[in-house]
Each structure stands twice: as structure tokens, then as C-alpha cells.
Amino acid sequence: VAKKQGRNLVKPFVPSMQDEMTKRIRVEADLRSAIKKAEIVPYYQPLVDLKTNKIIGFEALARWKTASGEFIPPNEFIPVAEEAGLIVDLTDQLLRRACTDALSWPNELVLSFNLSPIQLSDRLLGLRILKILGDVGLPTHRVELEVTESAIIQDAVTARIVLDDLVNAGVRIALDDFGTGYSSLSQLSNYRFDKIKIDRSFVSSFETNDKQDKVIKAIIALGAGLGVTITAEGIEEESQLQRLQDLGCHIGQGYLLGRPAPLEELTADKAGAKVSQRR
Ligand code: C2E
Ligand code: MG
Ligand code: MG
Ligand code: MG
């Protein structure tokens, strides 16, 4: 019986593991070709000043539109790009494109761009980013890079070199997904960030959870104390927006304020209307 059971337990995993591997190999090959054909492009989600209700910039979010018209989200292909050693090429391509797009916006608008944790252990990253900004002609003060705490913990020495190169050149750094890592507070005292982005999970639950409300309040107070701008991610409802405004949160982002959209469509939604008006 044991033998039979054992076999039954093991058996279902074999084909699925094989499927997983086959899938991975295929995704990797497709990804390589997508980068070559520049099929992965940045979409842009507005960052809104919660006091003035004006757009202050856009966060670039990578979108892979396959030949069959299917969209693959970044959480699926960024890890593959990292493991396959494709993240440098992909980032260079996306950043170059995003900087070029940003040149067509009103020139006070900021471009916010995400970096993968793994990239911050590449000590040449800062210089490569600055080279791209220089090539495109986008001033460094219009660029903000979003990093997570885990990025800094992985290789603190190199991360500092990279961030210093960028900060010294005038690029701003935002701490993304704040509150989800395990050492947020130590990172805050170790490095001078310009912005903290409160993770969506806090914003989505804070009306139903009184403690979350207090946490958000405390993060905003922390930001005030440190002189750091606070952004709230994932605002989907009017009531959330209202509460964050009451609490004095500086910047907001979320489907309510504008969904990620391709450059061509920035004029079609709420965000784009504002951008084109101000152009
Ligand atoms: P993130 O930087 O925290 O980006 C915010 C994510 O929340 C985005 O997902 C965005 O579409 C989504 N979002 C924004 N507002 C709302 C809302 O109101 N409700 C909900 N439910 N979601 C909202 P997305 O575009 O799928 O990106 C996921 C993650 O992938 C990003 O998280 C970022 O860490 C990473 N990523 C995206 N683009 C790039 C890139 O070019 N390079 C790297 N290295 N990572 C990227
Ligand atoms: Mg981000
Ligand atoms: Mg985030
Ligand atoms: Mg996130």
C-alpha cells in the first residue's frame, strides 16, 4: 500500500515539472526575441499631487505585448529576464524608450522608473543609466528611480555605490513597496531617499482596518520628520483618496487617478487630458 501511495504521490509532479521547464525555456526564447524586436514597451501611470490634483509625472511600467496580442505582466517576465541574464539589455531598452517618451511631456513632469533588486548589485548600473539620460538628453532632475528594500539588502556596498553615482548626478530615489519588506526602518536611516511609496496593500485595507489607518498616518508622520515625500500606491476608491488627502499624503497613484496606458493614449484618459492641456 505504501509503495502504491508513494508512487501516486510522486507521479503527478513529474509531468508538471517537465511542463514548467518546457514553458520556462520557451518563455526565455520568446523573451530574447521580444527584446530584439522591442516588443516590450513602457506604459505610463500618472503620479498625482494630492493637494493640487495635478499630475507631477508618470511611472513607467513594462508591458510585453506578444505577437498573438496577449499581454504578459512584468511580474512574469522580469524574473525570467533576470535569471536569463537579459535584464541589462531589457532595462537599457525600456529606459531609453521611456526617457525619449518623457521628452514629449511638459518639461516639469517626472519619469519614475523601476529597478530590479538584482540590478543594484551591478556597480556599473548608475553610470549606464546616466549615459542613457545623457544620450537622450533628459535632465537628471526629471528622473526618479524606484528601488525596493530587498535590493539594498542584497548587496549593500554595491547598492550604495550605484545610488551615490545617481544621486550625485541629480537623480532622485524612491523606496518602493514600503512596508512589505522586513527592514524598512533600518534602510531609512541608512540611506537618504527622496520618496517613500506606501505599498498598495496598506491603501486597499485601511478603511476596513483601523490599524492600517494608523500605520499610514505614522508613515506620513515619518516622512514629514525625515523630509521625505510620501506616495500612496493603489488608490482605487474615492473614499481612499479622501482619507489620504485628509492625512496629508503628498502624492497618489492608482486606478482611480489613472491606469497605466501607452504613450499614444495618454491624451485619451483623465491623465492625458491634463497633460495635453498643459502642453
Ligand atoms: P510596482 O513598481 O509596485 O508598480 C505598481 C503596480 O501596481 C503596477 O503593476 C501597477 O499597474 C499596479 N497598480 C497601480 N495602481 C493600481 C491600483 O489602483 N490597483 C491595483 N490593483 N494595481 C495597481 P504592474 O505594472 O503589473 O507591475 C508590477 C511590478 O513589476 C511593479 O511593481 C514593478 O516592481 C515591476 N516592474 C514593472 N515595470 C518594470 C520595469 O520596467 N523594470 C523592472 N525592473 N521592474 C518593473
Ligand atoms: Mg514602482
Ligand atoms: Mg510599488
Ligand atoms: Mg509592487
Side-chain angles (χ1 to χ4, degrees):
V1 176
K3 204 173 174 186
K4 201 176 167 195
Q5 256 178 0
R7 218 183 280 147
N8 283 344
L9 280 175
V10 170
K11 223 178 177 179
F13 289 102
V14 177
S16 80
M17 264 172 66
Q18 228 163 26
D19 285 356
E20 208 37 57
M21 250 167 67
T22 313
K23 191 184 163 200
R24 186 68 167 219
I25 290 165
R26 202 185 52 228
V27 171
E28 205 177 297
D30 288 352
L31 186 58
R32 216 175 282 276
S33 130
I35 294 170
K36 209 175 259 164
K37 292 191 256 170
E39 281 176 356
I40 302 172
V41 297
Y43 269 40
Y44 300 100
Q45 185 176 34
L47 301 161
V48 177
D49 182 322
L50 295 184
K51 242 191 207 140
T52 62
N53 287 324
K54 281 196 177 136
I55 291 170
I56 57 143
F58 292 95
E59 177 176 1
L61 294 161
R63 293 289 180 270
W64 176 6
K65 194 177 178 205
T66 63
S68 58
E70 180 199 0
F71 274 99
I72 303 177
N75 288 336
E76 275 178 42
F77 65 81
I78 298 278
V80 180
E82 288 174 357
E83 272 179 42
L86 297 168
I87 192 70
V88 172
D89 285 350
L90 176 59
T91 300
D92 283 12
Q93 186 179 85
L94 280 170
L95 182 62
R96 205 170 277 276
R97 169 80 188 261
C99 289
T100 307
D101 288 350
L103 281 181
S104 72
W105 305 341
N107 60 23
E108 70 278 13
L109 296 188
V110 167
L111 167 71
S112 207
F113 191 88
N114 291 284
L115 295 177
S116 300
I118 197 177
Q119 296 184 277
L120 281 178
S121 52
D122 167 5
R123 62 162 59 222
L124 291 178
L125 177 72
L127 301 179
R128 232 180 4 251
I129 289 174
L130 294 174
K131 166 85 165 56
I132 292 172
L133 303 193
D135 286 352
V136 174
L138 187 67
T140 51
H141 71 264
R142 290 189 58 193
V143 179
E144 181 179 276
L145 296 169
E146 301 192 3
V147 301
T148 56
E149 302 151 52
S150 55
I152 299 158
I153 297 158
Q154 265 175 30
D155 183 349
V157 176
T158 310
R160 184 172 280 269
I161 294 171
V162 170
L163 294 182
D164 282 347
D165 281 346
L166 291 162
V167 168
N168 291 338
V171 173
R172 279 172 284 180
I173 310 293
L175 191 56
D176 204 358
D177 304 337
F178 184 75
T180 57
Y182 53 87
S183 71
S184 338
L185 297 174
S186 71
Q187 291 315 316
L188 283 183
S189 48
N190 282 337
Y191 208 84
R192 165 78 172 82
F193 295 96
D194 300 280
K195 196 189 258 181
I196 291 171
K197 300 188 78 173
I198 306 177
D199 193 70
R200 197 171 75 215
S201 55
F202 290 94
V203 176
S204 62
S205 61
F206 84 112
E207 293 166 293
T208 49
N209 183 339
D210 182 50
K211 282 192 182 137
Q212 298 287 54
D213 190 280
K214 292 203 171 76
V215 170
I216 293 200
K217 222 173 184 166
I219 297 174
I220 292 168
L222 185 69
L226 293 169
V228 178
T229 304
I230 304 293
T231 300
E233 299 186 307
I235 304 174
E236 292 182 352
E237 290 170 36
E238 203 65 55
S239 55
Q240 296 167 341
L241 176 65
Q242 190 58 55
R243 184 66 185 139
L244 288 161
Q245 278 173 326
D246 291 347
L247 290 175
C249 184
H250 309 114
I251 299 168
Q253 184 178 4
Y255 294 165
L256 179 72
L257 302 165
R259 286 184 179 258
L263 182 72
E264 319 81 79
E265 278 171 32
L266 289 189
T267 46
D269 67 8
K270 199 169 150 191
K274 278 186 199 154
V275 171
S276 54
Q277 263 169 31
R278 299 168 73 210
R279 200 169 272 184

